[in-house]
Amino acid sequence: MSVYSFHAKNIRGADVGLDSYKGKVLLIVNTASKCGFTPQYADLQKLHEQYSGQGLVILGFPCNQFGEQEPGDNEAVHTFCQINYGVTFPLFEKIEVRGEHKHPLFAYLTAQKPFKGFDEGHPIGKILQKMFSEKMPERLHDDEIKWNFTKFLIDRDGNVAERFEPTAEPMDLAPAIEKLL
């Protein structure tokens, strides 16, 4: 099994088989428009512009599960991303990425690459660690998505190569992306 086994609806509602990205390097990201990490859209777009010609495709999956930070409908998400960040990489319909109703793609991704903890050297990593330790300690012990802007890097064969937690800045992923291109 690989990511090519899955389908998702794009932001316009059309069904997309991820097998349509065979041979590409993918960066799959759960996103939100009202999150402290939302400015990462700008660097995700930069990565798209820098590497799409070499075979990188970024796939954005909006999600409203973390602090209700993606409250708008799909049209609002699409408009927000275009107006504020000039996003031209593929966006998909809002989905759930954790819990009982999570999208099968994210069940697969998290099973392939477990949660290894937050980077506590990052100021927000410390905040997230403290928040989860105090308010949701049980969530620190599973491999589910913890917050918006968790990123999964997929190789050209559809295998999950790496998982990056929200504190990983998109431009810092460039060396890992380049290895797979």
Side-chain angles (χ1 to χ4, degrees):
M1 180 176 264
S2 73
V3 297
Y4 301 143
S5 304
F6 299 95
H7 287 249
K9 291 192 182 293
N10 71 16
I11 199 84
R12 298 288 185 210
D15 187 63
V16 176
L18 294 190
D19 60 347
S20 65
Y21 299 110
K22 276 188 178 176
K24 302 287 187 181
V25 172
L26 304 176
L27 185 62
I28 299 174
V29 186
N30 70 298
T31 61
S33 300
K34 298 185 182 301
C35 176
F37 294 111
T38 299
Q40 288 189 14
Y41 268 126
D43 283 343
L44 290 169
Q45 180 62 28
K46 284 179 189 171
L47 287 173
H48 168 71
E49 291 168 3
Q50 184 172 353
Y51 295 111
S52 63
Q54 297 173 52
L56 175 69
V57 180
I58 296 171
L59 305 177
F61 287 85
C63 177
N64 194 40
Q65 287 184 283
F66 307 102
E68 297 182 354
Q69 295 177 343
E70 189 59 270
D73 62 14
N74 290 315
E75 185 60 32
V77 171
H78 187 250
T79 300
F80 173 86
C81 289
Q82 285 190 323
I83 289 173
N84 293 287
Y85 297 101
V87 168
T88 58
F89 56 83
L91 294 172
F92 289 79
E93 285 188 341
K94 282 173 52 173
I95 61 167
E96 291 190 13
V97 298
R98 69 170 288 121
E100 183 180 339
H101 301 290
K102 70 182 159 209
H103 191 282
L105 171 63
F106 280 83
Y108 173 76
L109 293 171
T110 55
Q112 298 302 303
K113 288 294 177 184
F115 175 66
K116 294 181 184 170
F118 294 112
D119 175 5
E120 292 192 55
H122 188 287
I124 298 175
K126 286 181 184 178
I127 292 168
L128 287 171
Q129 181 67 34
K130 183 176 181 181
M131 178 184 77
F132 278 93
S133 295
E134 292 176 359
K135 298 182 179 182
M136 302 172 272
E138 71 284 355
R139 286 194 181 180
L140 285 173
H141 304 291
D142 64 33
D143 293 325
E144 298 259 12
I145 302 291
K146 306 299 183 221
W147 206 255
N148 304 308
F149 290 88
T150 300
K151 303 157 204 71
F152 292 89
L153 185 59
I154 313 301
D155 70 18
R156 290 183 185 271
D157 295 319
N159 302 308
V160 184
E162 294 191 51
R163 173 179 175 162
F164 302 93
E165 297 307 324
T167 53
E169 296 294 334
M171 297 310 288
D172 292 342
L173 279 54
I177 291 167
E178 289 172 2
K179 282 183 189 177
L180 298 179
L181 290 174

